Structures are given as C-alpha cells and as structure tokens.
C-alpha cells in the first residue's frame, strides 16, 4: 500500500538525537556522507556502520525502519553491486562462466558499493526520522541564509519546501481515498497489461489533480488572510540555539571521520 | 432464519500495524445483518464506522476475523474480491471528490461499464439512477466539475446506484446538504430499499434521520459495536448513548423528560407520528402529572 512509503517520515520522540539543533543535524549528516565516500576499505566503512548503530540506538528508532527505507532502492543497490562484481577485474579469480569472471577485487568492491548506498540511505533516514519537516526546513533556511546576499530567495524556497513536505501525507491519504472510491465502483487496478494499467490510473489522477489545485488555492487564500507576505521582517516562534549537546555530537562525528581517515591510511584500499 | 447478508466473526482492523502510529479502529466485531434490513450506523467521530463499512465490500481486509457475504467467505479467494464490490455498493464520505469523467453521464456509467454490461443495459441503468437522485437531462451532459457540491454528491450516489448493488452502504451521504437535498436523497434511498427489498446501511450523525428511516441501529463506540438492535430499543438506552457523546432524537428527549416529570408516557418515542399519538391520548384524558 501507499502508506508503507516511509522516506521523509518523522518519528516523534524525545531522545538526544531528536533534541539536536536541526542545523547541526544537517551539517553532521553531510559530514557522515563525506565519511562514507572517503572510506576506501572495510574498516573505514565499519566505522560508518558503527556510527549508524549508535545513532539508531540512541534515537530509539527501530532497526526495522532501515529496512523499510531501503526497500524502494533495492533494485539500484543490486544493479550497482552486480555491475561491480562482473566488470571489475583484479585479484584472484573465484568463479568463471563464459565471458563473465568474478574476482576477489570485484567482489569486495561490489560489497563496498552496496554497503555505501545502504549506509547513505540509513544515515539520511535517521535525519528525517528524528527531525520534523518544519524543523528541517527551518534548519535549511538558516543554513542557506548567507545566500540571501546573492539575491537567492531563500525564505521562499524554504516555505515551498515546508508546504510540499506538509502535503505529502495529505496527498497520500487522498490518493488512498480516491483509489478506494474507484475500486468500490469496480475499477480494476491489479490486472491487465501496461496499457490497461496506465488507463486505470486516469480515474485516480484526475480527481487528485483537481483537488490539489483546490487545496493550493485554499492554502494561498488562507495564508493571505493571515497577512503572509514573505520573509521580510518575519520573526520566529522557535529560535534555533546551539547547546553543548550539539557540540558533543559534532565532536563524536568528527572523531568518526578522523577514524575513517586513519583506517584509510593504515590499511590497504580495496580499489 | 435465512442466511444474513453480512456476517462477521471477531472482526478487527488495525491501521499502520507495526509502526508507532498503530491504531485499532475496529475491534472484535460480531454482527449479523439480515437481508432487507435498513440499518442506521451511529457512533461518535472516530469510533470506527467508516473503517467497519469498508470491510463489507472488501476494500479493507480484516487484520483478524472473518466476513461472510450471503454466506460466502469473502476472503476465501482474494482474486475474486471484485465480485463483492458489485454486490455491496459503497458510497464514501464526501464522494464528490471521486468524479473524473468529462460528463456526468460518463461518470455515472463508470461502475456499470466496469461490470461489463451491454451498452443498452448501461444506458438504461444510468438514466434510471440519474432520475432517481433528481439529475436533469441537461445536467447529464455537463462536466461534473461545473456542478455545485450538492449536485456532485448526487452524481456520486447515482454512480453507485447504477450498479444496482444488493446491499447499499452510504457513509454520511447528507453531510453538508440543505434540508431539501437531505430529504430528497434519504427519501430516494428509502424508495430503493422498498422497491427491491435491498439491504441498506446508512452511516449518519443525525439521530433524527436514523429514527425516521432506519429499522435497526448499529451503535459503535470506541472501535467496538456497543449495540445492534431495533431503533426503538436502541434509543431506549438514552442514558448510555448520551454518555458516548451521541444524542437521541430531540423528540425522545422531550418524552423522557415528560416521563421523568411523572406524565404517563412511554419513553421509546422517536418519531413525530408516535409523539403525536401519545400527546393526543394524553390531552384527551386531560392527564396531570401524577406526582
Ligand atoms: N487511513 C488511516 N490511517 C490511520 N488511522 C486511521 C485511518 N483512517 C482512520 N483512522 C483512525 O481510525 C479510527 C476510526 O476512524 P473512522 O474513519 O473509521 O471513524 P468514523 O467513525 O468513520 O468517524 P467519522 O464519524 O468522523 O467519520 C480513528 O481514530 C482514526 O484516527
Ligand atoms: Mg467516517
């Protein structure tokens, strides 16, 4: 079902990770991604995995949620892994059929790639699971605010993002409802060829578009009624403030990053 | 007794099972709805009415428990679930948002077309259903998006009626309509019930409507079925019903108060006609409170 889509879903909680400043969390996530890409051997990757385990444990997000967020990208992971496995040559040949060869180097590189993608998704999911969409866009807006001097409409972009995020669950709910209503009228969405299935989408997409436009119009009107006029002179109810907690976590991430670099230098690379 | 059209056994449904948002919306429901009954479904907001009725045409599969339609196990063969969708017609809450065709005519024809009927049959059914809910020939050629909210509602109801379901379920079909629109739609539903002896389930927040049209009432409270009985028997439990945040018809409340004051009236009065009869006898006898 559509409801099983979890990317960008927020899991309310009160853990340390939940309480971190969103700006710091975004920066730390970027650092984590850098860490994943600097790691060039399994030890370095292990540091990344360790970091994730700690992060998920501290934030009390069940590990099964990682599986849920990875599910949609499994084909990509498999595809990259298979490509690497067959087309990278080097090291001992383990297996050979026809022109395809599997070598130790190919195999370890494939594993490395797969791990990297999985960690990437698990890490960014941790950010969205522990940060409400509003806090997230707030953080992004503040981080990008220097760009205002370059005439980038930072506030407007952030507002657009907030609205988009805000309406994802609504849209999913609406799609579900319209789908149910059309199924109740005997619409058949589970069988038939590609053409037939595409055609079966029409009764869902049209009402969805119509109601999206209606919603957008209503929202614009409601915002204007409350005198919204862009970011100029707007103050915030929640002021973002860095606390010692943020610096402790930052220290932890930097430590992990350094550990990865040390691993890179001490142990042989898999490339 | 003949087999009930709808029968459930320990039916439960949990939304978002296995996540922190888990929510039991229907719990352990055991009911039997007799063929040809007109049932009013009542319950406070969020009591699980909409969730329960979506099980009856197979839109939701129970988390646990079983359902039989006409004695046939609904989920015995999940591939054939569409069969039950034609048998049990469901009109959703705010159904006007499901319209999509270029014309009202085509939109009403969507259901019958999915049933694979012949062209003449479809045409006949569409015209009949449209006439039934009071849509004019001129409106049939319009785009559904040009209609008013109430007119859209009628189109949506006609779209389900055109499938001629044996059991018709309506989820608050009159929410947000004017009194005349309400009367028209509910009157036509009653007519549909009378004409072919179809079974009707009507979800409503109006106790007056339930009292006026339904023979039986199904009361939901906190995801459970609190009661399923004849309307007068249900409204006799006024105290408990009011505790659930529901109410009994105003007329019933007046008579309960009269009885409290010591007038010799019965407390299961719930329509104007019954009230009139009671008051007439009361006046004739020139009764005073016997307290
Ligand atoms: N799609 C959904 N996902 C999660 N929870 C839901 C969903 N739909 C309903 N619920 C929850 O299930 C419970 C029952 O909802 P339901 O829609 O059946 O109530 P209802 O009796 O029809 O209420 P109303 O009178 O307002 O229409 C509610 O607490 C609601 O929050
Ligand atoms: Mg409802």
């Amino acid at each position: 079902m559509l409801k099983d889509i979890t990317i960008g879903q927020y899991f309310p909680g009160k853990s340390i990770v939940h309480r971190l400043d969103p700006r710091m969390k975004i920066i730390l996530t970027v650092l984590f991604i850098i860490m994943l890409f600097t790691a060039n051997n399994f030890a370095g990757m292990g540091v990344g995995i360790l970091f994730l385990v700690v992060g998920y444990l501290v934030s009390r997000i069940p590990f099964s949620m990682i599986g849920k967020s990875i599910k949609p990208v499994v084909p990509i992971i498999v595809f990259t892994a298979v490509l690497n496995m067959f087309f990278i040559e080097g090291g001992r040949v383990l297996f050979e059929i026809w022109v395809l060869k599997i070598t130790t180097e190919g195999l370890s590189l494939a594993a490395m790639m797969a791990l990297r993608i999985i960690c990437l998704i698990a890490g960014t999911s941790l950010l969205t699971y522990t940060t409400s969409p509003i806090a997230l866009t707030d953080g992004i807006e503040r981080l990008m605010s220097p760009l205002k001097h370059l005439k980038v409409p930072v506030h407007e972009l952030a507002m657009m993002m907030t609205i988009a995020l805000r309406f994802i669950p609504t849209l999913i709910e609406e799609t579900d409802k319209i789908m149910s209503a059309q199924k109740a009228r005997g619409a058949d969405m589970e069988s038939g060829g590609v053409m037939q299935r595409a055609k079966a989408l029409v009764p869902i997409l049209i009402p969805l578009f119509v109601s999206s436009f209606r919603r957008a119009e209503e929202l614009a009107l409601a915002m204007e009624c409350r005198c919204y006029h862009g970011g100029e002179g707007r103050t915030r109810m929640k002021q973002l403030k860095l606390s010692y907690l943020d610096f402790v976590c930052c220290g932890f991430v930097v430590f992990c990053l350094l550990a990865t670099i040390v691993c890179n230098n001490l142990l042989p690379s898999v490339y | 007794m003949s087999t009930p059209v709808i029968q459930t056994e320990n039916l439960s449904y949990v939304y978002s099972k296995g996540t922190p948002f888990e929510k039991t919306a229907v719990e352990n429901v055991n009911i039997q709805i007799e063929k040809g009954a007109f049932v009013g479904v009542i319950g406070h907001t969020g009591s699980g009415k909409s969730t329960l009725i979506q099980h009856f045409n197979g839109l939701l599969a129970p988390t646990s428990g079983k359902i039989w339609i006409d004695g046939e196990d609904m989920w015995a063969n999940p591939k054939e679930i569409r069969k039950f969708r034609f048998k049990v017609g469901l009109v959703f809450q705010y159904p006007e948002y499901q319209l999509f065709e270029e014309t009202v005519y085509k939109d009403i024809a969507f259901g019958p077309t999915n049933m694979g009927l012949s062209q003449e049959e479809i045409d006949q059914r569409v015209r009949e259903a449209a006439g039934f809910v009071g849509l004019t020939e001129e409106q049939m050629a319009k785009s559904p998006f040009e209609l008013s909210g109430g007119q859209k509602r009628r189109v949506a109801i006609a779209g389900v009626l055109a499938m001629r379901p044996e059991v018709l379920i309506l989820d608050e079909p009159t929410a947000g309509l004017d009194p005349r629109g309400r009367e028209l739609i509910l009157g036509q539903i009653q007519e549909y019930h009378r004409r072919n002896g179809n079974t009707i389930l009507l979800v409503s927040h109006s106790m007056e409507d339930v009292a006026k049209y339904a023979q039986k009432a199904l009361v939901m409270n906190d995801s459970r079925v609190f009661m399923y009985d004849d309307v007068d028997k249900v409204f006799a439990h006024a105290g408990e019903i009011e505790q659930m945040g529901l109410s009994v018809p105003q007329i019933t409340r007046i008579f309960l108060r009269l009885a409290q004051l010591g007038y010799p009236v019965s407390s299961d009065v719930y329509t104007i006609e019954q009230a009139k009869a009671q008051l007439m006898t009361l006046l004739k006898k020139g009764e005073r409170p016997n307290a």
Side-chain angles (χ1 to χ4, degrees):
Chain A
M1 275 310 271
L2 282 169
K3 282 190 209 93
D4 297 332
I5 297 174
T6 58
I7 288 185
Q9 202 179 62
Y10 172 53
F11 265 67
K14 287 198 167 59
S15 73
I16 298 174
V17 185
H18 283 87
R19 292 201 314 261
L20 284 183
D21 188 304
R23 288 172 295 178
M24 186 53 91
K25 266 192 271 191
I26 295 170
I27 294 173
L28 296 187
T29 309
V30 173
L31 280 182
F32 174 71
I33 294 172
I34 293 174
M35 185 165 113
L36 287 180
F37 282 92
T38 40
N40 61 11
N41 57 38
F42 286 106
M45 202 50 99
V47 175
I49 294 172
L50 199 73
F51 171 78
L52 273 181
V53 170
V54 172
Y56 271 80
L57 281 180
V58 170
S59 58
R60 305 239 170 84
I61 305 286
F63 284 103
S64 58
M65 293 311 296
I66 303 182
K68 268 198 173 164
S69 49
I70 285 176
K71 221 158 99 195
V73 286
V74 164
I76 300 177
I77 296 175
V78 171
F79 183 70
T80 8
V82 167
L83 274 191
N84 276 297
M85 204 155 73
F86 287 118
F87 294 106
I88 304 287
E89 285 181 25
R92 210 152 41 82
V93 177
L94 289 175
F95 198 77
E96 198 168 353
I97 17 167
W98 191 41
V99 292
L100 299 174
K101 255 190 262 168
I102 295 182
T103 62
T104 44
E105 203 162 286
L107 206 59
S108 42
L109 204 66
M112 197 67 183
M113 279 298 173
L115 274 178
R116 190 172 279 157
I117 301 177
I118 291 171
C119 288
L120 193 69
I121 290 179
T124 41
S125 299
L126 186 60
L127 173 69
T128 54
Y129 284 151
T130 59
T131 321
S132 75
I134 302 288
L136 203 60
T137 38
D138 241 19
I140 293 172
E141 182 178 351
R142 293 292 296 276
L143 282 177
M144 297 202 314
S145 59
L147 293 178
K148 269 185 199 152
H149 302 297
L150 299 175
K151 294 237 160 19
V152 178
V154 174
H155 172 79
E156 281 67 23
L157 286 175
M159 182 54 86
M160 268 157 62
M161 230 160 87
T162 312
I163 293 173
L165 284 172
R166 153 70 184 78
F167 278 98
I168 288 174
T170 314
L171 266 178
I172 291 178
E173 206 175 288
E174 187 121 341
T175 315
D176 252 356
K177 224 162 86 189
I178 295 172
M179 250 160 105
S180 299
Q182 306 300 22
K183 273 194 209 159
R185 294 205 278 166
D188 185 7
M189 275 165 265
E190 274 105 40
S191 62
V194 179
M195 273 313 278
Q196 231 172 338
R197 277 184 195 220
K199 248 181 156 173
L201 283 180
V202 173
I204 293 161
L205 291 181
I206 292 179
L208 200 60
F209 273 126
V210 171
S211 81
S212 300
F213 279 118
R214 186 174 45 83
R215 255 180 226 290
E217 227 169 273
E218 282 171 6
L219 182 71
L221 206 63
M223 283 168 83
E224 264 171 27
C225 286
R226 292 196 247 166
C227 303
Y228 177 79
H229 55 76
E232 210 60 45
R234 208 170 137 80
T235 55
R236 322 192 144 264
M237 189 165 102
K238 270 201 188 136
Q239 297 288 341
L240 295 178
K241 235 179 165 167
L242 291 172
S243 69
Y244 82 98
L245 207 65
D246 293 294
F247 293 107
V248 171
C249 291
C250 183
F252 179 59
V253 175
V254 171
F255 172 76
C256 288
L257 186 59
L258 288 179
T260 317
I261 294 171
V262 170
C263 287
N264 278 350
N265 288 328
L266 288 185
L267 298 163
S269 153
V270 295
Y271 307 123
Chain B
M1 227 185 86
S2 61
T3 38
V5 239
I6 301 174
Q7 184 180 359
T8 69
E9 190 184 285
N10 299 328
L11 181 84
S12 298
Y13 188 81
V14 184
Y15 279 109
S16 323
K17 201 174 168 67
T19 72
F21 304 103
E22 196 169 289
K23 162 96 196 153
T24 306
V26 169
E27 203 173 347
N28 241 334
V29 169
N30 291 291
I31 45 166
Q32 299 192 356
I33 291 171
E34 308 77 15
K35 201 164 268 181
F38 195 132
V39 183
V41 182
I42 55 180
H44 61 82
T45 290
S47 57
K49 305 179 297 290
S50 300
T51 310
L52 179 65
I53 56 170
Q54 282 178 60
H55 282 88
F56 296 158
N57 75 339
L59 282 175
L60 292 177
T63 310
S64 66
K66 282 192 147 186
I67 315 177
W68 291 268
I69 300 291
D70 260 340
E72 223 181 313
D73 185 354
M74 197 170 207
W75 291 96
N77 187 358
K79 285 221 171 84
E80 301 209 334
I81 199 70
R82 270 178 87 208
K83 179 173 81 183
F84 295 103
R85 306 231 166 105
F86 298 130
K87 205 161 182 172
V88 182
L90 176 59
V91 180
F92 272 80
Q93 221 164 349
Y94 299 103
E96 49 271 34
Y97 299 128
Q98 74 193 34
L99 305 178
F100 71 97
E101 280 284 13
E102 290 154 68
T103 65
V104 169
Y105 180 94
K106 280 195 193 166
D107 211 287
I108 300 176
F110 182 66
T113 310
N114 283 330
M115 294 173 83
L117 300 173
S118 71
Q119 209 54 50
E120 300 99 76
E121 176 80 20
I122 293 175
D123 185 67
Q124 195 209 335
R125 285 185 175 208
V126 170
R127 284 180 199 287
E128 187 195 86
F132 215 73
V133 296
L135 288 168
T136 62
E137 195 63 35
E138 183 198 352
Q139 284 166 337
M140 298 275 277
K142 274 192 177 174
S143 153
F145 300 110
E146 288 170 20
L147 302 178
S148 79
Q151 289 164 339
K152 281 186 202 164
R153 182 81 55 90
R154 288 184 207 176
V155 175
I157 294 175
V160 173
L161 279 179
M163 305 197 307
R164 289 195 194 148
E166 215 170 286
V167 180
L168 178 64
I169 307 179
L170 302 111
D171 198 348
E172 292 184 47
T174 56
L177 291 188
D178 62 3
R180 195 140 147 244
R182 281 172 93 94
E183 293 269 303
L184 175 89
I185 286 184
L186 291 175
Q188 293 298 47
I189 290 164
Q190 193 173 34
E191 178 62 32
Y192 185 75
H193 171 241
R194 255 194 225 131
R195 200 191 299 172
N196 315 322
N198 298 71
T199 313
I200 311 275
L201 268 75
L202 173 71
V203 179
S204 177
H205 279 292
S206 157
M207 302 304 136
E208 274 76 19
D209 286 349
V210 171
K212 187 166 171 195
Y213 296 99
Q215 303 153 344
K216 302 197 96 180
L218 175 70
V219 188
M220 294 282 295
N221 184 34
D222 280 339
S223 13
R224 289 169 176 274
V225 170
F226 170 72
M227 218 182 165
Y228 174 59
D229 212 333
D230 294 335
V231 167
D232 48 346
K233 288 191 189 123
V234 168
F235 285 141
H237 290 76
E240 281 149 291
I241 287 187
E242 290 193 339
Q243 239 165 32
M244 288 174 210
L246 296 173
S247 67
V248 293
Q250 283 177 1
I251 288 270
T252 314
R253 242 183 294 165
I254 291 174
F255 274 79
L256 283 172
R257 185 86 182 110
L258 282 176
Q260 253 177 22
L261 288 172
Y263 285 97
V265 290
S266 76
S267 56
D268 57 353
V269 173
Y270 55 88
T271 62
I272 308 257
E273 285 73 41
Q274 289 170 323
K276 187 175 154 197
Q278 290 256 337
L279 285 179
M280 290 311 269
T281 47
L282 209 61
L283 287 173
K284 258 188 215 134
K285 285 195 252 165
E287 285 279 359
R288 290 271 168 274
N290 44 15

